[in-house]
Amino acid sequence: MRISSLTGLRGVAAVSVLLYHIPHNPTFEAFRIPLFSRAYLAVDLFFILSGFVISFGYHDRVVNHLGRASYVDFLVNRMARVWPLHLIVTLVFMARIILNVSGNQAIALNFPNVATNMLMIQSWGWGTEPIAGNSWSVSTEVAAYLIYPLIAIIAFSRLAWAQGLLCVGILALVAGSGLGSSGPLDVNDSDTVLTLLRCLAGFSLGVLTYRCAEKNWCRRLVDRTGGFAIVCGLIVLALLLPGKADVLVVCLMPLLVLSCYYNGAAARAVMANPVSFHLGLISYSIYLWHPLVRDVAARAMGVAHRHGMAGFDWLFIVAMLIATWLLCWASYALIEVRGHQLIKWLQRGRRSRKPAREATA
């Protein structure tokens, strides 16, 4: 079951990250958009959304009926969702490095990097680097999947308040580390465990948000006329505060998730319209593919400049956005959906063979 406004919210977040990353290639420095200068925080929104949506879909099966079978089924489902695309994108990025397609290759294809990337454990703090740059966050989410039952059990216990305080404390620790690139919480280095902790804190906030979602006091607070606009306004105000109050912004994000979950008219108009919903469906592909498309477009523009073709830089941006959309649409249909179906088919085949072997024995 999909909640259309939450799907659209994920699409808006993915496009925000894309627009934030465009000027990170020096060739596109002139296309920096101030509105998206803090869009690295959209990754924290991804973490919160993941914790919330996974709890929506799996809490009863994994926590209330916790056992080996339910836990393994949960992990298989999550890996079927994220691993196929991660694998393909990583292999393409490896080819990019070997062939020097975009002219910007800085990651060594040594055994530790390749092995940890294949296993999706590359950003757990032991110094290995993500071959597909944005995959660091996907790697940290895998760690959250592994300990999801523990996170959820605490979130639905009397210790939930302590877990919430711990999450805020961890976010404050990450923000105060001085390791942020574009802002206090923009920590994604490969040689620090803070990158992993950033994800676990956001993911846990998402699980706690799901616990609150069906409480009457929470619905009365958020699900009201103008609630979606008020929440968006509060986040905008927090973004405008001096000193980059990243932790405050992230602490307001659960209200945005709840507002979309309650699916009011305003939330549906902004987040559940056909464009936002479509972008939400392909958001994972957008998130992983767009750095490659950007860098290839930047190199193409550099070649054009060397041949005297100047004054048409905006065409390369438009072409890059269209190419990203087409690639991600195809990627969603051919890799994400088909990959998920293949892994689930293999899982069902294994289940059907096991009873047959037992009957034979």
Side-chain angles (χ1 to χ4, degrees):
M1 175 182 175
R2 291 186 187 274
I3 301 170
S4 55
S5 293
L6 288 178
T7 300
L9 179 60
R10 188 179 294 274
V12 171
V15 172
S16 298
V17 173
L18 182 156
L19 295 174
Y20 163 73
H21 277 150
I22 287 176
H24 282 207
N25 188 301
T27 304
F28 292 136
E29 174 64 30
F31 294 91
R32 186 176 299 276
I33 305 173
L35 179 64
F36 296 98
S37 62
R38 305 273 296 285
Y40 57 85
L41 294 174
V43 178
D44 298 279
L45 178 57
F46 281 137
F47 295 148
I48 294 171
L49 270 169
S50 290
F52 185 94
V53 172
I54 285 173
S55 294
F56 177 79
Y58 293 99
H59 173 263
D60 183 64
R61 280 180 283 174
V62 176
V63 178
N64 294 340
H65 301 89
L66 181 60
R68 179 178 176 275
S70 62
Y71 180 61
V72 169
D73 186 64
F74 164 71
L75 290 180
V76 170
N77 271 295
R78 294 317 304 158
M79 296 311 294
R81 173 71 181 92
V82 300
W83 188 74
L85 181 62
H86 176 273
L87 172 65
I88 298 300
V89 172
T90 298
L91 291 175
V92 171
F93 270 70
M94 288 173 63
R96 165 199 179 188
I97 292 171
I98 294 170
L99 301 174
N100 195 28
V101 171
S102 64
N104 181 25
Q105 323 303 336
I107 298 174
L109 294 182
N110 52 38
F111 178 76
N113 279 342
V114 173
T116 54
N117 274 268
M118 291 296 105
L119 295 172
M120 298 184 72
I121 58 174
Q122 66 269 27
S123 297
W124 289 12
W126 36 50
T128 51
E129 298 180 271
I131 293 173
N134 285 350
S135 66
W136 68 266
S137 64
V138 186
S139 170
T140 58
E141 278 206 26
V142 170
Y145 301 157
L146 289 171
I147 62 172
Y148 170 70
L150 176 61
I151 293 173
I153 287 170
I154 297 173
F156 281 81
S157 74
R158 294 179 179 179
L159 294 176
W161 64 270
Q163 185 182 33
L165 290 176
L166 179 62
C167 290
V168 176
I170 289 173
L171 290 173
L173 174 67
V174 175
S177 67
L179 297 176
S181 176
S182 298
L185 266 180
D186 189 22
V187 175
N188 51 41
D189 293 344
S190 302
D191 57 354
T192 174
V193 73
L194 293 178
T195 301
L196 177 60
L197 291 179
R198 175 187 175 189
C199 168
L200 294 178
F203 186 91
S204 298
L205 282 177
V207 179
L208 288 166
T209 303
Y210 177 72
R211 175 182 176 171
C212 296
E214 298 305 325
K215 303 291 185 181
N216 290 330
W217 62 264
C218 185
R219 186 175 286 273
R220 287 196 302 269
L221 176 67
V222 180
D223 189 19
R224 59 173 64 194
T225 303
F228 177 75
I230 291 171
V231 170
C232 292
L234 288 173
I235 292 175
V236 170
L237 287 175
L239 287 169
L240 294 175
L241 288 175
K244 293 188 175 180
D246 285 2
V247 175
L248 176 59
V249 175
V250 173
C251 288
L252 290 171
M253 286 177 177
L255 295 177
L256 179 60
V257 172
L258 286 169
S259 186
C260 290
Y261 173 67
Y262 294 142
N263 217 23
R268 289 198 306 273
V270 177
M271 300 298 180
N273 63 73
V275 174
S276 296
F277 186 78
H278 171 72
L279 292 173
L281 289 179
I282 64 174
S283 59
Y284 183 37
S285 286
I286 292 174
Y287 184 72
L288 286 186
W289 282 118
H290 79 262
L292 176 65
V293 182
R294 175 205 60 192
D295 290 348
V296 172
R299 189 161 195 188
M301 193 169 85
V303 171
H305 285 179
R306 287 195 296 273
H307 287 80
M309 297 175 61
F312 301 98
D313 292 359
W314 62 273
L315 282 176
F316 287 91
I317 293 292
V318 172
M320 180 200 70
L321 294 175
I322 294 174
T324 301
W325 170 59
L326 292 174
L327 171 62
C328 294
W329 192 1
S331 172
Y332 170 73
L334 301 178
I335 301 176
E336 292 188 57
V337 174
R338 298 291 178 84
H340 184 275
Q341 291 172 343
L342 175 61
I343 291 176
K344 295 301 294 179
W345 177 76
L346 292 172
Q347 182 189 27
R348 287 193 298 270
R350 183 177 180 276
R351 284 175 175 171
S352 63
R353 287 193 299 271
K354 185 176 179 180
R357 287 197 300 270
E358 290 174 352
T360 302

